Amino acid sequence: MARYPGKTCRLLTMLSMTASFFLVEIIVGYITNSIALVADSFHMLSDVVALIVCFASVRISKWQTEKNTFGWIRAEVMRALVNAVFLVALCFTILVEALKRLVEFEEVNNPKPLLIVCGAGLLVNVIGLFLFHDHGHSHGGSDGHSHGGSEGHGHSHAGEAEKAEHADSEESKTLVERSTPTETTTKNGTVTLDIDNPKVVIEESRKKPSSSSQLNMRGMFLHVLGHALGLVVVIISALIIWVCSPEPEAKFCLFFSIMMVIIILGTTFPLLKESGFILLQAVPSHINLDDIKRKIEEVEGVIAVHEFHVWQLAGSRIIASAHIICKNLHDYFTISESVKEIFHNEGIHSTIQPEFVRNPLENDVENPTTCILECGPDKNCYTDTCCGQKRQDSKKNKNNDSPHREGSTKGLEQSRSETTAMEQV
Amino acid sequence: MARYSGKTCRLLTMLSMTASFFLVEIIVGYITNSIALVADSFHMLSDVVALIVGFASVRISKWQTEKNTFGWIRAEVLGALVNAVFLVALCFSILVEALKRLVEFEEVNNPKLLLIVGGAGLLVNVIGLFLFHDHGHSHGGSGGHSHGGSEGHGHSHAGEAEKPEHADSEESKTLVERSTPTEITTKNGTVTLDIDNPKVASSSQLNMRGVFLHVLGDALGSVVVIISALIIWLCEGDWRFYVDPAMSIMMVIIILGTTFPLLKESGFILLQTVPSHINLDDIKRKIEEVEGVIAVHEFHVWQLAGSRIIASAHITCKNLHDYFTISESVKEIFHNEGIHSTSIQPEFVQNPLENDVENPTTCILECGPDKNCYTDTCCGQKRQDSKKNKNNDSPHREGSTKGLEQSRSETTAMEQV
C-alpha cells in the first residue's frame, strides 16, 4: 500500500537504527571509558527521543483530534525544542565528565573499536540526513499532495488511501519544508497538481513569496543543522579519541571536550531560540506588525483595530485575530475582504471580529482598545483575558471616563435599532 | 512590600544557597580527590541551572514587548517544560552511571566525608523543598486576587499601587485554589470573588513545580548518598558498593514518574490543545443552539497560560440584527466556560437552505479557491476536505457568494431608503 514508503516507515527505520546504535555506542563507550563516545551516545539518545516524539505525534494526530483544534502540527516545534534541551544537557554531562578526569585520570582502553564505532556513528547520521532531507524536499515539492518518490497517482479526491496519505503528508511537514506554489511542478517526479486551476497555481505568484519561503529556508536550515550537529559531534569525538590515545593527557581531553561543548551549544542555540519563540506565541520575525496594522487602519471604513494578535502555529501556518471597528454592515463587507487580502499577502490566515460604532467621535475612537464585545465591567475576568494587564488599564480608563463605556453601548444599541428600523422598512 | 515574599525572593534565596553549596562541594571534592563529591556537586549545579531557568521564566513573563502580541506570559510554561526535559536527561545520565557501576563497581574511599557533605546537601535541599512546596499552597483560597496574608485592600480597579500587586497575584494563582462561583473565598484577608473559576494549572505553578522536582531529585540523591555512605562505613564486603547504584536506579524511576505529568501538562499547553476541563463539543452545541446561529466553523480553543484561555470561531448567521443578539449570547457562553478572550467572525448567509448549511465548514471569508494557501491555514487538512466538497457541488460555492452579495445589495438598498 502507498503508506509504507511513507513517513511512518522512514521514522521507524530511523528509530530502530538510531536506537540500536545508541545502545552499541553507550556500551562500548563505557567499556572503553571514552567520554566522547558516551557523549555521542547521548546525542543519539536525544535523536531517539525526538524520533519517538515525532512518531507519537503522527500517531496521536490520527485519533485525538478532539483534543486539539489545530491538529498536532506543532509537535514538530516541540520536537526541535526537546532536542535542543537534550543537547544542552548533553553538553553539561560532557563538561562534568571532563572535569572529573581532572580529578582522577581514567585511561582510555582499546582505541580501535572506538574509532570503528565512531565511523559507524558518522554513517548513521549521514543516512539520517539524507532520509529526512530528501523526505522534506519530496513533500515540499509536491505541495503536500504527492507522497514519497514513487507514486504516480493523480490527485483524486476520492478514496481512503489518499486520505491516509494526506494525513501522512500533512504531519510530515517539518518545521518548514514547504515550497511556494510556484515551485510546485519541478521538484519531484510524482508531482500531482491540485485540481483547482493547476495553471493558476503555477502562474500565480504570491505578492509576498518572501515571507513563506523565508520561513521555509529558515526551517530547512535548522532541520539540516540538527542533523549536521550529529555529524559534528561524532567527528569531534573521533578527534578526541585520536588525540586522547595512546598517551592521553587529561588536560588535552578537557580542552577538546570544552571545544565540543562550545560548538554544540553554538549550533543548538539558534534552534532553541527559534522553537522557543514559536512556542511562546511570538510574532514571526519576518512579519512587521505595525506595518500590517497601519495597512488595515488605512482601509476605507476602518475606524480602529484592537485585540490584534499574530502568531505562528508551526512552519508556514501563521494565524491572526483582530477586532475591527467600523460603521455598518456594508462597510464590514468591503473591509473584511480587503483585510483578508492584506493578511493573505503576508501569509497569514485570520479571524476578524467586526464591531459597529455608529458615532465614532462620541464613542471609543480615542480609546480603540475598548472592546464592545468584552465580558463586561462588572465581571471580574479581565486578568483572564489574553492581554490581562492591558485590559485592566483600559478598564481603569473606562471607570474614570464613564461616557466612553456608555458611548460604546449606545453606539451598539443605535446600530441595532437602526438595523431593526431598516428591516421594518 | 508584598512582592518580596513572592516567587522571585524564594528563587533567589534557593539559588544563592545552592550555588554556594556547589562551590563548597566541588572545592572539597578536588582537594580530597573524591570523584563522588565532584559528581554530587554537579547535581547541585544542575539544580542551579533549574533555578536559573525558573527565575528567568518568571522575569521574562513580566517583560513588556512588541515582539509578542500576547506578552511573554507563556515563558513560565516553557520554563516548566525545559526544566522537565532537562530533568529527564539528567535522570538518564544518572541511570547510565548507575548501570555502569553495577557492572563494574567503584570503590569509595572516604565515606565519612561523603556522609557529612551528603547531610549538608540534604539540608539545603529540604529547605528548598519547603520553599517551593509551600509556594504551591500559600496563595490558595483567595481566588487568585489577593496576595500574601496581610493586605487589607479591597479589590479596586483604581490606583497604580494595585497594579504590581495584581501582577504578583496573577502569577501566584495556583492549581486549584480558585473557588467555584458559589464559594466565597474566606481564607485570606483580601477576599475577592472570582466569578468564573475553571480549575486550571497556572503557569507559575507549573514553573515552580519544575523547580520543585529538580530539588526533590537532588534531595533523594542526597538521601541515597547518605545511606550508601553509612553502609560503606559501617559494613564490610564488596556488596556495599552496589547499594548506591541500585538505590540510584530506584530514585530515577521515582523522579521520572513525578516528572512525566509535568512534561505532559506543559507540553499540551504549548501544543495548543484544548484545556482538559473544557468540553469542546458541549460548547459548540450550546453555540449552535443559540437562536439565529446557522452554523459554527473554524472553532478553536486553546490555553495561552494559566487561566487565560482563548477562543475564536466563525459563526454563520442571517443578518446583522441576528448577529448582535448572537454575539452577546455567545460571549456569555464563553464567559461561563472561563474563556474570556474571543474573536467571533460573523458570516452572513441570506438563504441558508440554498447555501452552505449542509457544508458548514465552508468559510465565506476564506482566501478563495484559486489561491493555493489552504495548507497554510491553521486547519490545513480539513480545509482541503471542504474544498473537495465544494468542488463536487459547485452550487454551494456560488450560493454562498450569492448569499453574501444578496446581503450586501440588501443593505445598500436599505441604506438608500
Side-chain angles (χ1 to χ4, degrees):
Chain A
M1 210 174 92
R3 57 198 304 197
Y4 286 116
K7 171 95 172 173
T8 324
C9 190
R10 290 176 197 225
L11 272 175
L12 282 172
T13 315
M14 195 59 195
L15 191 61
S16 37
M17 258 192 349
T18 319
S20 23
F21 194 72
F22 156 71
L23 284 168
V24 165
E25 257 194 329
I26 203 162
I27 292 170
V28 174
Y30 272 109
I31 291 175
T32 57
N33 252 325
S34 150
I35 315 171
L37 214 52
V38 171
D40 193 54
S41 71
F42 263 79
H43 174 248
M44 282 290 167
L45 176 71
S46 82
D47 263 356
V48 169
V49 171
L51 284 166
I52 291 175
V53 170
C54 216
F55 187 71
S57 70
V58 170
R59 281 299 172 216
I60 288 175
S61 65
K62 292 186 174 132
W63 47 266
Q64 262 201 14
T65 33
E66 306 89 55
K67 251 204 148 184
N68 197 331
T69 54
F70 293 101
W72 296 97
I73 194 83
R74 225 181 204 201
E76 307 257 351
V77 184
M78 279 271 285
R79 180 174 67 91
L81 184 85
V82 169
N83 226 340
V85 176
F86 245 88
L87 284 171
V88 172
L90 165 74
C91 290
F92 187 71
T93 319
I94 296 172
L95 265 177
V96 170
E97 287 288 317
L99 287 169
K100 266 160 69 170
R101 308 264 161 136
L102 275 182
V103 177
E104 203 176 281
F105 173 68
E106 288 181 43
E107 241 183 66
V108 172
N109 313 320
N110 294 329
K112 273 189 204 160
L114 281 178
L115 290 171
I116 295 171
V117 171
C118 263
L122 203 76
L123 195 67
V124 170
N125 273 301
V126 169
I127 293 175
L129 197 66
F130 277 114
L131 255 185
F132 287 100
H133 193 65
D134 251 3
H135 176 79
H137 274 303
S138 75
H139 280 276
S142 61
D143 216 31
H145 283 286
S146 69
H147 194 81
S150 52
E151 293 134 59
H153 307 292
H155 183 67
S156 67
H157 286 284
E160 283 299 300
E162 284 291 319
K163 237 191 189 169
E165 277 176 53
H166 283 302
D168 277 349
S169 64
E170 167 70 21
E171 278 109 30
S172 66
K173 277 185 206 113
T174 48
L175 203 56
V176 215
E177 282 139 2
R178 268 199 67 240
S179 53
T180 56
T182 50
E183 292 166 41
T184 314
T185 43
T186 52
K187 287 246 166 101
N188 235 341
T190 56
V191 165
T192 33
L193 298 175
D194 195 9
I195 284 185
D196 284 321
N197 304 315
K199 289 216 172 143
V200 176
V201 164
I202 299 169
E203 287 159 12
E204 179 193 17
S205 53
R206 284 188 185 179
K207 277 190 188 166
K208 278 208 174 169
S210 59
S211 61
S212 173
S213 52
Q214 246 179 58
L215 275 174
N216 285 338
M217 288 315 292
R218 189 108 120 261
M220 194 132 47
F221 169 68
L222 287 172
H223 185 73
V224 169
L225 193 67
H227 280 286
L229 205 56
L231 282 178
V232 163
V233 170
V234 173
I235 291 169
I236 293 182
S237 317
L239 275 174
I240 293 182
I241 290 166
W242 207 283
V243 168
C244 290
S245 66
E247 276 182 2
E249 278 270 355
K251 283 172 194 166
F252 226 9
C253 266
L254 178 64
F255 173 73
F256 265 96
S257 304
I258 291 177
M259 285 301 298
M260 191 157 140
V261 163
I262 291 172
I263 292 176
I264 294 177
L265 282 178
T267 36
T268 305
F269 187 70
L271 194 68
L272 197 60
K273 199 174 156 196
E274 189 83 20
S275 48
F277 273 153
I278 294 177
L279 292 173
L280 287 172
Q281 307 292 102
V283 179
S285 46
H286 67 286
I287 290 203
N288 185 338
L289 207 70
D290 290 328
D291 193 43
I292 300 178
K293 195 171 184 190
R294 189 184 44 81
K295 283 183 186 166
I296 296 175
E297 285 171 340
E298 282 172 2
V299 172
E300 203 182 310
V302 171
I303 297 168
V305 180
H306 62 261
E307 285 288 336
F308 183 34
H309 296 288
V310 180
W311 53 283
Q312 184 176 2
L313 177 64
S316 47
R317 296 192 191 179
I318 305 176
I319 296 171
S321 63
H323 296 189
I324 296 180
I325 301 182
C326 53
K327 273 202 237 159
N328 51 46
L329 188 62
H330 176 66
D331 277 0
Y332 169 62
F333 284 136
T334 348
I335 289 170
S336 57
E337 283 188 12
S338 314
V339 171
K340 274 289 187 182
E341 187 78 27
I342 294 172
F343 277 131
H344 171 80
N345 293 336
E346 297 283 339
I348 303 173
H349 292 82
S350 55
T351 298
I352 301 167
Q353 176 172 298
E355 297 181 8
F356 302 98
V357 176
R358 198 70 203 169
N359 296 311
L361 289 174
E362 195 180 310
N363 296 333
D364 299 288
V365 75
E366 287 164 49
N367 190 9
T369 57
T370 311
C371 190
I372 286 175
L373 255 185
E374 65 176 7
C375 285
D378 53 340
K379 293 179 195 172
N380 211 17
C381 47
Y382 53 86
T383 36
D384 284 343
T385 55
C386 54
C387 303
Q389 190 74 13
K390 283 185 203 162
R391 182 58 60 83
Q392 194 187 335
D393 288 347
S394 74
K395 279 186 75 61
K396 200 171 62 172
N397 290 337
K398 268 193 277 171
N399 283 319
N400 293 339
D401 311 301
S402 44
H404 277 182
R405 179 71 194 165
E406 286 172 42
S408 69
T409 330
K410 209 203 289 186
L412 188 71
E413 284 173 2
Q414 260 187 324
S415 300
R416 202 183 295 185
S417 56
E418 277 172 21
T419 322
T420 326
M422 281 191 272
E423 287 186 341
Q424 285 166 356
V425 166
Chain B
M1 207 176 92
R3 60 199 305 196
Y4 289 117
S5 59
K7 283 183 302 197
T8 324
C9 189
R10 291 167 194 234
L11 282 165
L12 283 172
T13 313
M14 189 62 187
L15 194 59
S16 37
M17 271 195 334
T18 319
S20 13
F21 192 74
F22 155 71
L23 284 169
V24 165
E25 248 192 327
I26 202 168
I27 291 169
V28 173
Y30 275 120
I31 291 173
T32 59
N33 257 330
S34 158
I35 275 204
L37 267 180
V38 172
D40 197 55
S41 74
F42 281 109
H43 286 169
M44 276 292 169
L45 186 64
S46 74
D47 260 8
V48 171
V49 172
L51 285 162
I52 290 174
V53 170
F55 181 72
S57 316
V58 171
R59 289 318 246 172
I60 291 173
S61 69
K62 292 188 206 172
W63 283 354
Q64 298 293 320
T65 176
E66 282 176 4
K67 276 194 188 175
N68 195 328
T69 54
F70 295 101
W72 295 115
I73 193 79
R74 235 187 198 190
E76 292 203 75
V77 182
L78 191 65
L81 182 78
V82 168
N83 267 337
V85 174
F86 191 50
L87 196 55
V88 169
L90 280 178
C91 281
F92 183 74
S93 72
I94 296 173
L95 183 69
V96 166
E97 188 72 28
L99 284 170
K100 177 188 166 198
R101 294 226 210 119
L102 276 179
V103 168
E104 202 182 291
F105 72 85
E106 275 180 20
E107 274 202 36
V108 172
N109 297 323
N110 36 15
K112 279 186 209 167
L113 184 62
L114 263 183
L115 197 60
I116 295 167
V117 177
L122 184 64
L123 188 68
V124 171
N125 284 317
V126 165
I127 294 174
L129 286 178
F130 275 116
L131 273 177
F132 296 110
H133 186 66
D134 259 1
H135 179 79
H137 291 295
S138 68
H139 292 278
S142 61
H145 286 284
S146 68
H147 191 81
S150 51
E151 291 133 63
H153 305 291
H155 184 69
S156 69
H157 290 279
E160 283 300 299
E162 290 288 316
K163 240 195 196 165
E165 282 173 316
H166 282 299
D168 278 341
S169 64
E170 166 68 24
E171 279 112 35
S172 64
K173 274 193 209 103
T174 51
L175 181 54
V176 199
E177 278 100 8
R178 295 184 70 206
S179 48
T180 57
T182 51
E183 275 179 64
I184 295 188
T185 49
T186 51
K187 286 201 182 149
N188 244 334
T190 51
V191 167
T192 27
L193 180 65
D194 198 2
I195 287 187
D196 230 10
N197 300 283
K199 297 198 171 183
V200 189
S202 78
S203 56
S204 77
Q205 217 229 357
L206 282 177
N207 189 20
M208 290 300 108
R209 219 159 100 198
V211 171
F212 176 79
L213 286 173
H214 266 272
V215 174
L216 179 69
D218 214 44
L220 285 175
S222 300
V223 168
V224 168
V225 164
I226 290 173
I227 295 177
S228 70
L230 275 172
I231 292 177
I232 292 170
W233 182 30
L234 300 171
C235 307
E236 295 289 329
D238 277 348
W239 65 271
R240 302 177 287 161
F241 302 116
Y242 291 104
V243 172
D244 188 322
M247 288 184 69
S248 297
I249 292 176
M250 271 179 1
M251 180 191 91
V252 162
I253 294 172
I254 294 172
I255 295 176
L256 282 178
T258 44
T259 307
F260 186 69
L262 179 67
L263 200 60
K264 203 173 150 193
E265 220 173 305
S266 50
F268 275 155
I269 293 177
L270 294 173
L271 284 172
Q272 309 290 101
T273 50
V274 178
S276 49
H277 66 283
I278 286 193
N279 185 337
L280 206 70
D281 290 329
D282 193 43
I283 300 179
K284 195 171 184 191
R285 188 184 45 79
K286 283 182 185 165
I287 295 176
E288 284 170 343
E289 281 172 1
V290 171
E291 203 184 309
V293 170
I294 298 169
V296 179
H297 60 264
E298 284 288 336
F299 184 33
H300 295 288
V301 180
W302 53 284
Q303 185 175 359
L304 176 63
S307 49
R308 295 189 190 182
I309 304 175
I310 298 174
S312 64
H314 296 190
I315 296 181
T316 318
C317 53
K318 272 201 239 166
N319 50 48
L320 189 61
H321 177 66
D322 278 357
Y323 170 63
F324 284 136
T325 348
I326 289 171
S327 57
E328 283 186 12
S329 312
V330 170
K331 215 35 191 163
E332 188 77 29
I333 293 172
F334 278 131
H335 173 84
N336 292 335
E337 295 285 337
I339 304 171
H340 306 291
S341 290
T342 56
S343 293
I344 302 168
Q345 177 171 298
E347 296 182 6
F348 302 99
V349 178
Q350 198 54 223
N351 295 310
L353 288 174
E354 196 181 309
N355 297 332
D356 297 289
V357 75
E358 287 164 45
N359 190 9
T361 56
T362 311
C363 190
I364 287 176
L365 258 185
E366 64 174 11
C367 284
D370 52 341
K371 292 179 194 169
N372 207 20
C373 48
Y374 50 84
T375 36
D376 280 343
T377 56
C378 52
C379 304
Q381 187 76 9
K382 286 185 198 159
R383 182 58 61 81
Q384 197 186 327
D385 286 346
S386 75
K387 278 182 75 55
K388 188 172 76 177
N389 291 337
K390 267 194 278 177
N391 283 319
N392 293 340
D393 309 301
S394 44
H396 277 186
R397 180 69 196 166
E398 286 171 43
S400 70
T401 330
K402 207 200 292 183
L404 189 69
E405 284 171 359
Q406 259 187 322
S407 299
R408 203 182 294 184
S409 57
E410 276 171 24
T411 323
T412 325
M414 284 191 267
E415 284 184 345
Q416 283 167 357
V417 167

